[in-house]
Amino acid sequence: MSSYASLLKTPGVARIIAAQLTARFPNGMLSLAFLLHIEHITGSYGSAGLVLAATSVGQAVAGPVTSRWMGVWGMRRVLVLTIAVSAAMTAVIAFVEMSVPAYMVVGLIVGLSSPPVQSAVRTIYPKMVNSRQLTPLFALDASAQEIIWVAGPVITTFVALQFSTVAAIVLALAFLIFGGAWFVLSPEVGRVRIPRSRRKLGKVLTKRAVLLSTITGFLLLGACSAVEASVVSAFGHDGLEGGLVLGIFAIGSLIGGLALGHLPVSPWSMARRMFAVFVGMALALFSLDFWWLAVTLLIAGIGIAPAFGVMSAIVTSSVKFSDTAEAYGWVGTGQLIGAALGSALAGFLIDLNGPSGGFLVAATFAFFGFLFPTLFRRWHPDLRGRDASPIPDTEPVYTQPS
């Protein structure tokens, strides 16, 4: 814990973590708010899953593109544009009743305009701390973001239950606007300049660590999205149990991140963390009892934040600084495609077989999320005793002949 305390004393670190968490807080609210809102209007979890899938696909397409734009136009310009468009389209979903295809189109635009806050902040981090502090900082960031998943579902469920699903979306919208403004105005966002990448779009995926993180993130988020839909369908709209179970799920991730985040990163680190996720989700298949799900998803959660921390560390250490934002964009794209597929598959199986069908989807994603980094552990950098900073961008130096 002392390493985390020293990190928070580093100038600007606590502020930038708080600002980006606030800006990203809607990530823990909007999926559930959209799910509740669309299901309330249409009466179908499958229809709601399609809207969430469209939103996630939009985010997946935009991720590497908007992240790369930050190296061309600057972070602030890209962030302001995407925040404005995303906020406007989120308001449309909240206040305009439409057909499911129309909701899907608007959801797609919400996804396409998703602000690349995560890519921005993880590109900024290596410029704020020394190389020894970078891996613990990624772990602290991954752990702290679980506050989003602890409080977000609980707040969303409570507001939707006590007021309306529209109010839940509007509250998420307020976080998007306020948090986005706070992050954009942070000095570090204006101070750090991402060099223009000289590689073609997508070339960074030839780095094995980036591809490993992208595919594993795809599987991890697919599992998590299926769990979210399954928990909501298991407990419905008549109480806070669903939000509480999802909050406990995130608390497990927070505990795991703080307990394991400072450990050295070895080639087995990703597989070990994903094994905990798989075990917890597999156990969740056996009962829909509140306490059973709370315990099993607590176990599953223990591996999530540490897995995200490992992804960040191995990506950063494997690419040039000018490519870090795009690399994180691709990792985010993998996660969001997984979220789209997990939500859609879980939604349809829930309609057919009830919540157990959704948990089966989650356990299947988690199993392959464990299997892939196990089979391809040679793609996983060994960072024990190594510098996790990005590779410096270098240019040839021309000299005049003497």
Side-chain angles (χ1 to χ4, degrees):
M1 291 298 177
S2 60
S3 61
Y4 298 134
S6 64
L7 271 175
L8 293 175
K9 293 177 182 177
T10 303
V13 168
R15 182 183 62 250
I16 201 71
I17 289 177
Q20 62 96 10
L21 285 178
T22 307
R24 292 167 56 203
F25 202 82
N27 294 347
M29 301 179 68
L30 277 179
S31 292
L32 183 55
F34 284 176
L35 182 74
L36 295 172
H37 185 64
I38 304 302
E39 192 279 332
H40 175 72
I41 292 172
T42 65
S44 169
Y45 281 104
S47 296
L50 285 173
V51 176
L52 291 183
T55 304
S56 296
V57 167
Q59 291 174 312
V61 171
V65 177
T66 55
S67 296
R68 191 179 177 95
W69 282 353
M70 291 191 293
V72 179
W73 297 326
M75 290 189 196
R76 281 181 169 155
R77 289 180 181 177
V78 174
L79 289 167
V80 169
L81 174 63
T82 52
I83 289 168
V85 175
S86 182
M89 293 299 100
T90 300
V92 169
I93 289 183
F95 296 111
V96 180
E97 190 167 332
M98 301 173 284
S99 64
V100 172
Y103 275 122
M104 291 177 65
V105 171
V106 177
L108 178 66
I109 299 173
V110 171
L112 288 170
S113 59
S114 180
V117 174
Q118 181 169 301
S119 296
V121 76
R122 292 184 178 175
T123 301
I124 290 170
Y125 282 155
K127 299 300 182 181
M128 298 183 67
V129 298
N130 61 49
S131 59
R132 293 191 309 274
Q133 294 177 305
L134 192 53
T135 298
L137 178 54
F138 283 132
L140 179 61
D141 175 84
S143 301
Q145 76 177 359
E146 292 309 315
I147 296 172
I148 297 170
W149 308 109
V150 172
V154 176
I155 292 172
T156 300
T157 305
F158 176 80
V159 173
L161 178 65
Q162 297 298 321
F163 301 97
S164 69
T165 55
V166 172
I169 296 175
V170 169
L171 182 59
L173 182 59
F175 275 105
L176 172 63
I177 294 170
F178 172 76
W182 185 12
F183 182 72
V184 167
L185 295 174
S186 297
E188 292 78 13
V189 175
R191 189 178 302 139
V192 176
R193 179 73 172 87
I194 303 174
R196 185 191 294 261
S197 177
R198 298 186 176 187
R199 292 170 173 261
K200 292 182 179 180
L201 181 66
K203 186 71 173 178
V204 73
L205 284 173
T206 60
K207 298 290 186 179
R208 289 182 174 183
V210 177
L211 189 58
L212 175 65
S213 296
T214 300
I215 295 174
T216 306
F218 159 83
L219 295 165
L220 176 55
L221 260 292
C224 292
S225 295
V227 163
E228 184 176 278
S230 302
V231 168
V232 171
S233 68
F235 296 103
H237 304 161
D238 299 327
L240 290 174
E241 290 94 340
L244 290 173
V245 168
L246 292 175
I248 292 168
F249 183 39
I251 287 172
S253 181
L254 177 62
I255 292 170
L258 294 176
L260 305 176
H262 65 285
L263 298 179
V265 175
S266 75
W268 283 99
S269 292
M270 189 86 76
R272 289 169 179 164
R273 287 150 176 77
M274 289 302 301
F275 182 70
V277 178
F278 165 64
V279 168
M281 291 184 180
L283 290 173
L285 280 166
F286 292 97
S287 174
L288 297 177
D289 175 73
F290 172 84
W291 289 109
W292 178 260
L293 289 179
V295 171
T296 56
L297 293 183
L298 180 70
I299 294 170
I302 287 174
I304 293 175
F308 282 134
V310 170
M311 290 177 202
S312 296
I314 67 174
V315 166
T316 296
S317 65
S318 303
V319 300
K320 291 184 177 181
F321 180 66
S322 59
D323 291 324
T324 51
E326 184 189 337
Y328 285 125
W330 283 111
V331 173
T333 288
Q335 294 172 5
L336 291 163
I337 293 174
L341 188 58
S343 294
L345 290 176
F348 283 114
L349 284 183
I350 287 168
D351 282 345
L352 291 173
N353 302 312
S356 296
F359 282 116
L360 178 61
V361 172
T364 302
F365 269 92
F367 171 72
F368 285 104
F370 156 69
L371 184 64
F372 186 79
T374 300
L375 295 178
F376 293 93
R377 61 186 178 276
R378 291 186 178 179
W379 292 9
H380 193 301
D382 188 347
L383 300 183
R384 290 173 294 184
R386 278 186 51 193
D387 186 350
S389 299
I391 301 168
D393 286 275
T394 56
E395 297 180 351
V397 177
Y398 298 98
T399 59
Q400 294 292 332
S402 56

